[in-house]
Structures are given as C-alpha cells and as structure tokens.
Amino acid sequence: MVRDTIEVIGAKQNNLKDVDVKIPRDKLTVVTGVSGSGKSSLVFDVIYGEGQRRFLESISNFAKGRINQVKKPNVKYVRGLSPVVSIEQKKGNFNPRSTVGTVTDIQDYLRLLYATVGVGECPGCGYNLTPVGASRMAEHISSLPDGTVVELRAPISKIPGTDFNYLFDIIRKKGYKRLLIDGELFDLSEKRELDEETHYEMELIIETFTIKPGMHIHIAKTISAAMVSLDDDIVMRTEVLSLPGSIDAKEAKRILSTFYKKYACPQHHYILCELQAFHFSFNVEGSACNTCHGIGKSHVVEPRFLIDNPEKSVADGCFRQSVLKKPFKQGYRWVTIYSVAHHYGINLYTPFNQLKEHERDILFYGTTKGERVPMVEPPELKKQNWLVGRERGWGGVVGDIRWWYNGWVRRTGDSGGEPDFIKDVMVETTCPDCGGARLKKQRLSVKVGGKNIHELSTMQLEDLVAFLTGIKFTGNNAAVAQSIAHELIKRLQLLIDVGLYYLSLGRRSDSISGGEMQRIKMSTQISSELMGMLYIMDEPSIGLHPRDSVKVIDIMKKLRDIGNTVIVIEHDLETMKNADYLVEVGPGPGIHGGNILATGTCKQVMKDKKSLTGAYMSG
C-alpha cells in the first residue's frame, strides 16, 4: 500500500511536547505559528533531519567515513519520508568566482551558445571570423598548389607577474622552439636578452609546410595538437610564404585572394579556431584574464600609501618597510633606483616632500616605456652587483609591486593570505585589463547577436530574455543554437517568475540576500523536473512585494504539481490561503509553545476555535 502521508510520532525535539502530526504527501503544506513556537524544530530538525540521516545511512561505509553524520532527532519515528531537499534563506557562496549564472547552471548554456554560433574578430582590424575546425583548415591549406610554402603562427604574450624566460620555458615544454619577435626570427635554443619593460609583438611559429600530395592528414594532426596545447589562444595565422615559381604574379594574386576569402581575415590572415564551451569559462585557467585570473577584481598600487615618512629622503628610508626593506642599499633594487636617479639627476638625499613632482613620478612609475638606463655602482655598495654595467628599463616602485602581486596571484590563485605589500599599499578595484569581464580579450571578441558573453551576463534578466528572443540564428548550427536559446529562455523565465527579474547572470553570489538565494534555488529545482521529492522551505515570501509573493506561490504550486511534497514555514496570509493543508504550532513561544493547535485545510482551520491562525484568517 502506497503511503499518502508523512507521519511524525512522539516528537520531543527542543520545545516540542511529544507531538504527533500527519502531513499529506504530494501537497503544499504550510506550517505556521508565532515565532519560537516550534515550527522549525518540527520541520527542519525532525522531518528534514530524519530524512537526511536515513539517506546517509543508506550509503556505503567508505562514503560515511568522509561525511559528517547527522544526529538522530528526538522523535519516536517518522514514516513516509522521501528524498528531502532544504531550500533555506542562506546567503550565497562567498567564493568570488560564484555568480548567479554558475549557481543556476544557466552560464553553462550561455557558454554553449557562444561555442555553437559565436563569431570572432580579427585582432588586427575587427574583421568577422567564423570558427574553422582542424580538418577543414587542413583541407583548405592542402588545396594550395604543390610546392607552396605555408607557415602556421599563433600570437603570444608575456604573462603578467612573470619574465620572458618563464614564457619561453612554457613554449619549450609544449614542443615549440621558433618565434617571431617584432618580425625577426628567434630560436629558443639561442640566448637572447629581452628588456622586461619593453612590449614586443610576438608570434609562435607552429610549423612550416611545403605543400605536396598526401599532406592533409599531417597538417590536420599538427593543427589539432596546436589547438590543444595552445588553448590560451583561439586564433591562428596562416601565412603563405611563397608560391611555386611557375605561377605568375597575376595568378598568384588570384590564388591568395581565393585562399583567404571566407576562411581568414584578408588583410591580417588570422583564423578563428573551432570554439569549445570551456573557452568562455572564467574558471578555466587558459580562458580567464591573466591579471585577475577570472575574479574580475584586482589590486592596484595606491602611491600615497608607499611613503611612510615624507620628511625623510629615499636614502634615509621614506618608503614603507614592506616596499623597501632595510638594509636596502646592498641589493639590486637599490642599484636600479640609484642608477635611474643618477640618470635623471634626482637627489636621493633630499627629503621626499621636497622633490619635484616629475621626480616623484619617476620614482613611482619608472623610466619612459622602452627607455634603457645604464646601471651604475652606488657608493654604499659593498659587493659588486650583477646589474652594474648593464642597461635596463624600470617600471618604478609601483611597477615592482605590480610584478610581485601578479606573481603572487599566479602562484596562489588569489586564495592565499594577503602578503604585507598588498595590505599596506594596494586597494581592490575592477580589473584594469578585462574591466571586470573575467575573460581574456580574445574570448570577449567572440560575439552572438553583436554582443560578447560578458555583455549578456551584465544584462538584467528581463532584458536578456528579450535579447535572446529577438536573435535570428543562421548557418549550419542554427537549429542547435535555437534549441540552446530556448532552454536558456525557459530557465531565465523561471527566475523572472519568482521576482528576480532585476538580477543579472554575472551578479556575484556573495552580494545576493538569503531570500534571493532561496528563490534562485526554487527556480533551479523546477528546471530539474524531479518527482517524488520532499521540499522544505523557510519563509520564502519574506521581504517581498505582494506582487512577487504571488509569483513565489505559483512556483511552489509548480513543484507540487510535477509530483512533489512541499512543506513551507510561513506567516504570509496569501500563502496560507493557497495551501492545500495547514499545521499550526503554538500557542506561544518557547516553553509556552510546542503543541499542535490545528491541522487541516484552510476552511477547516478557520472553523477551529483553538486556532489563532484560523481566527486571524477569518477576520
């Protein structure tokens, strides 16, 4: 016989006084009563607690040893329980990577949409690029005349907080050894010093092919391997270095024009590689912004915090200890500061507050970009320093701290305890590189309907639904994209239906209130379409406008209608009137409560003379 009620016998948890109660299954039940009367003890401590305990008892001993066990509530027995889910009013995840989109899994669908129909841009001119798979790319290259020399390249750049040697080591480990630096060939087996403060245009040479019969498979494998190992980049460059000598200039121009048409940027020859959903995830290292590592926030140096005592000179220690520790006159940093000051005629023994503004700026921000200063020996130096006699640029004290910070973030993922130099002289702000978008610029150049994924993530949910509804997809993947957009709209509409139309998918979870998070979880449960579950909720209408309370009631009814039992702790009159069953706990708080005063439908409770709630509802 199928049980149609949840039966609680002999509940004595907290202030409950050996109560018995039956709650109908597959119905919406409201448990009400004055604050402190024992509602939470009955619903959460007894029903939810016993449901959780029984579930944990059913798992293996191996798993039990790794999960905190739930204490058995003070009750004789509870019958008719289903798998139970508690949707409480708790603040969101305090992880800065958690957003509304990631909590609801809607961000996964959005990333899939961009991977399916996203259109990229040429880094050089903004020309629209359609993704090209490795096989098609290889087929297109193989179609060139035999004897044509083709070179595959990928743009690269130095990672913030590292030096060029770190970048070159990564490239070597991936099996590549040739670069173009400002158009000049550079072999990684050779030693060459690059100025760390200078910006270089760098391209990695993936491979150089000479087209001949049977090359298709080799080219396809090379491109596929490059797409995997160079997942930081989603664009490649195909350069035709030379055509066979038998082809005249006019024919060569026609061949090249045909080759790049609808395949790559005609001017810069960039190709957009086949896109994957992970390319748009800020929680994937290869896709996240190199500066903020996918958090959207970064720390910047506040120059006024650098100086501890402006009445002292640089040589006497005007900088904070966390910036320039004593004894600082024997290290390479003092050699650099002294050499730059010597080059620009700055007196390091003049009190800092008496230096001219441009002199302070040089100490803070360093030399002009690309300018190299000869390193000279300070008079205080006791040992010969390796820098003396060389030339180098310098990014100033601010640049040094930024370099330390980027290195610290790269090592710890911004999750470790903040070192002193961050606490003392840096302030949190929107990431200067990605503008809070969390992703690399290459990822943000990919657009759907003329907007990148960050722009959609910052839209209010109502505006996002309107935007997605208005897009007309074309091309081979139009049907797939339409089905993804349909699922997106359906899930977004559920959030709108619970009154969260004003949120955006990019909103951080730690800025969401407990009530908002509860409604987000409600919409997520509906989208899962599970049946036979027991849902427990705690005052979902709190803080809502009456208009939005009706929407929350509709969501609870939807959960019930798809075959679930819903038990809600609530004081809201409208919610109680819409319930299938009421349970009143009371009559007072604490020791004056803990009894079941009334049970039944709304009409039955209103007729019960012992019920305070019935009297309130009947006016």
Side-chain angles (χ1 to χ4, degrees), residues 327-589:
F328 55 80
K329 294 184 181 180
Q330 301 303 316
Y332 77 94
R333 294 192 67 217
W334 178 247
V335 173
T336 303
I337 293 172
Y338 180 86
S339 301
V340 170
H342 181 267
H343 180 78
Y344 288 103
I346 302 172
N347 189 342
L348 296 179
Y349 294 90
T350 299
F352 189 84
N353 57 8
Q354 294 180 25
L355 291 175
K356 297 176 181 177
E357 185 176 354
H358 79 276
E359 293 176 329
R360 293 198 295 268
D361 285 345
I362 290 170
L363 291 171
F364 283 149
Y365 303 109
T367 58
T368 306
K369 196 166 187 178
E371 183 181 6
R372 299 170 71 85
V373 173
M375 297 292 107
V376 296
E377 186 174 310
E380 302 93 340
L381 202 65
K382 296 178 180 178
K383 294 181 180 179
Q384 178 73 24
N385 191 278
W386 60 275
L387 272 180
V388 175
R390 303 187 181 200
E391 289 188 351
R392 67 179 301 226
W394 184 51
V397 174
V398 170
D400 283 350
I401 295 172
R402 190 184 301 121
W403 194 87
W404 299 342
Y405 170 73
N406 288 330
W408 173 75
V409 171
R410 180 173 52 81
R411 292 189 303 271
T412 67
D414 204 10
S415 59
E418 291 183 350
D420 289 343
F421 72 85
I422 292 180
K423 296 176 183 177
D424 291 348
V425 302
M426 303 188 84
V427 293
E428 188 180 69
T429 185
T430 301
C431 175
D433 280 359
C434 68
R438 299 172 177 247
L439 294 168
K440 290 180 178 175
K441 292 178 181 178
Q442 280 190 4
R443 272 59 169 172
L444 296 173
S445 69
V446 178
K447 297 181 179 179
V448 171
K451 294 186 181 292
N452 63 41
I453 194 169
H454 173 65
E455 290 173 313
L456 296 196
S457 297
T458 55
M459 284 184 177
Q460 287 193 358
L461 299 184
E462 282 187 327
D463 296 335
L464 180 54
V465 167
F467 175 81
L468 292 171
T469 304
I471 294 179
K472 303 298 181 186
F473 298 105
T474 58
N476 297 333
N477 294 327
V480 178
Q482 193 62 53
S483 66
I484 297 170
H486 175 74
E487 188 65 30
L488 266 169
I489 292 168
K490 186 176 79 172
R491 289 169 180 261
L492 290 168
Q493 193 60 51
L494 287 172
L495 289 172
I496 294 170
D497 289 345
V498 293
L500 298 176
Y501 55 88
Y502 54 87
L503 293 181
S504 64
L505 294 180
R507 175 88 170 261
R508 278 175 50 161
S509 295
D510 55 8
S511 69
I512 299 292
S513 71
E516 288 170 332
M517 184 55 68
Q518 186 179 44
R519 282 178 279 156
I520 286 173
K521 291 176 181 177
M522 288 171 66
S523 70
T524 304
Q525 291 299 325
I526 287 182
S527 64
S528 70
E529 297 184 347
L530 290 172
M531 293 178 61
M533 300 291 291
L534 169 58
Y535 289 103
I536 305 275
M537 300 182 198
D538 185 14
E539 299 189 62
S541 68
I542 194 167
L544 291 181
H545 188 278
R547 176 187 63 236
D548 294 327
S549 293
V550 174
K551 294 179 179 179
V552 171
I553 292 168
D554 289 340
I555 291 292
M556 291 189 289
K557 286 182 176 180
K558 285 180 183 178
L559 282 171
R560 175 202 64 190
D561 293 342
I562 61 177
N564 298 295
T565 304
V566 181
I567 301 177
V568 185
I569 295 175
E570 189 57 272
H571 300 281
D572 178 61
L573 180 61
E574 198 63 34
T575 306
M576 289 190 285
K577 285 182 177 180
N578 280 274
D580 300 313
Y581 200 77
L582 292 176
V583 175
E584 183 179 0
V585 185

Side-chain angles (χ1 to χ4, degrees), residues 138-151:
E139 184 180 335
H140 204 66
I141 293 171
S142 302
S143 68
L144 289 166
D146 290 351
T148 303
V149 180
V150 181
E151 193 166 80

Side-chain angles (χ1 to χ4, degrees), residues 277-338:
F278 69 81
H279 285 141
F280 303 96
S281 173
F282 47 77
N283 290 325
V284 174
E285 184 179 0
S287 301
C289 168
N290 276 328
T291 299
C292 67
H293 293 258
I295 294 173
K297 297 285 185 180
S298 183
H299 286 80
V300 295
V301 180
E302 178 54 61
R304 60 196 173 96
F305 294 157
L306 295 174
I307 304 302
D308 202 26
N309 191 342
E311 295 179 357
K312 289 185 177 182
S313 66
V314 175
D316 291 333
C318 67
F319 283 101
R320 279 182 178 269
Q321 280 288 302
S322 57
V323 175
L324 204 61
K325 293 181 180 179
K326 293 181 180 180
F328 55 80
K329 294 184 181 180
Q330 301 303 316
Y332 77 94
R333 294 192 67 217
W334 178 247
V335 173
T336 303
I337 293 172
Y338 180 86

Side-chain angles (χ1 to χ4, degrees), residues 33-325:
V34 299
S35 295
S37 61
K39 303 184 301 296
S40 295
S41 296
L42 174 63
V43 175
F44 283 101
D45 295 344
V46 175
I47 297 176
Y48 174 71
E50 182 65 6
Q52 284 290 88
R53 188 185 70 81
R54 291 187 188 177
F55 169 75
L56 293 175
E57 280 187 348
S58 68
I59 64 177
S60 68
N61 289 329
F62 178 82
K64 285 180 185 177
R66 285 153 180 79
I67 300 174
N68 291 330
Q69 297 301 299
V70 177
K71 185 179 178 181
K72 187 181 188 308
N74 190 355
V75 61
K76 288 181 180 177
Y77 59 84
V78 181
R79 297 193 182 107
L81 284 173
S82 299
V84 59
V85 175
S86 169
I87 305 178
E88 298 180 76
Q89 286 206 16
K90 287 187 176 180
K91 286 278 287 180
N93 192 332
F94 289 97
N95 188 328
R97 296 182 180 279
S98 177
T99 65
V100 172
T102 59
V103 167
T104 58
D105 294 331
I106 295 176
Q107 197 72 24
D108 294 341
Y109 287 92
L110 198 59
R111 293 192 289 112
L112 189 59
L113 181 66
Y114 272 79
T116 304
V117 289
V119 176
E121 292 180 352
C122 169
C125 63
Y127 180 87
N128 281 353
L129 300 174
T130 304
V132 182
S135 181
R136 185 183 158 206
M137 203 183 297
E139 184 180 335
H140 204 66
I141 293 171
S142 302
S143 68
L144 289 166
D146 290 351
T148 303
V149 180
V150 181
E151 193 166 80
L152 279 178
R153 304 172 185 168
I156 56 173
S157 58
K158 188 172 70 169
I159 301 170
T162 66
D163 54 20
F164 284 110
N165 285 331
Y166 179 81
L167 173 66
F168 296 158
D169 285 341
I170 291 176
I171 293 171
R172 288 189 194 98
K173 288 175 182 177
K174 291 182 176 181
Y176 303 104
K177 62 178 182 179
R178 292 188 300 152
L179 305 175
L180 284 176
I181 299 179
D182 288 343
E184 184 181 342
L185 184 64
F186 176 54
D187 196 308
L188 292 179
S189 62
E190 302 172 359
K191 282 192 174 182
R192 178 175 170 180
E193 285 193 11
L194 298 175
D195 184 9
E196 299 292 344
E197 300 298 326
T198 302
H199 173 73
Y200 299 96
E201 292 292 336
M202 297 191 295
E203 286 187 305
L204 172 65
I205 298 175
I206 297 169
E207 191 163 338
T208 305
F209 307 104
T210 300
I211 304 301
K212 58 185 178 182
M215 284 284 290
H216 176 272
I217 295 176
H218 173 68
I219 295 173
K221 286 183 177 179
T222 299
I223 294 170
S224 296
M227 285 180 174
V228 173
S229 62
L230 300 174
D231 61 1
D232 289 7
D233 296 294
I234 55 175
V235 293
M236 289 186 189
R237 195 170 182 173
T238 309
E239 286 295 336
V240 178
L241 301 184
S242 65
L243 289 165
S246 58
I247 298 176
D248 59 33
K250 185 177 180 180
E251 178 64 10
K253 185 177 180 180
R254 186 195 66 79
I255 290 172
L256 292 178
S257 176
T258 304
F259 176 71
Y260 289 118
K261 188 178 181 181
K262 294 184 180 179
Y263 166 74
C265 171
Q267 182 180 354
H268 299 98
H269 308 162
Y270 280 111
I271 304 160
L272 180 65
C273 299
E274 188 173 15
L275 298 173
Q276 302 291 338
F278 69 81
H279 285 141
F280 303 96
S281 173
F282 47 77
N283 290 325
V284 174
E285 184 179 0
S287 301
C289 168
N290 276 328
T291 299
C292 67
H293 293 258
I295 294 173
K297 297 285 185 180
S298 183
H299 286 80
V300 295
V301 180
E302 178 54 61
R304 60 196 173 96
F305 294 157
L306 295 174
I307 304 302
D308 202 26
N309 191 342
E311 295 179 357
K312 289 185 177 182
S313 66
V314 175
D316 291 333
C318 67
F319 283 101
R320 279 182 178 269
Q321 280 288 302
S322 57
V323 175
L324 204 61
K325 293 181 180 179

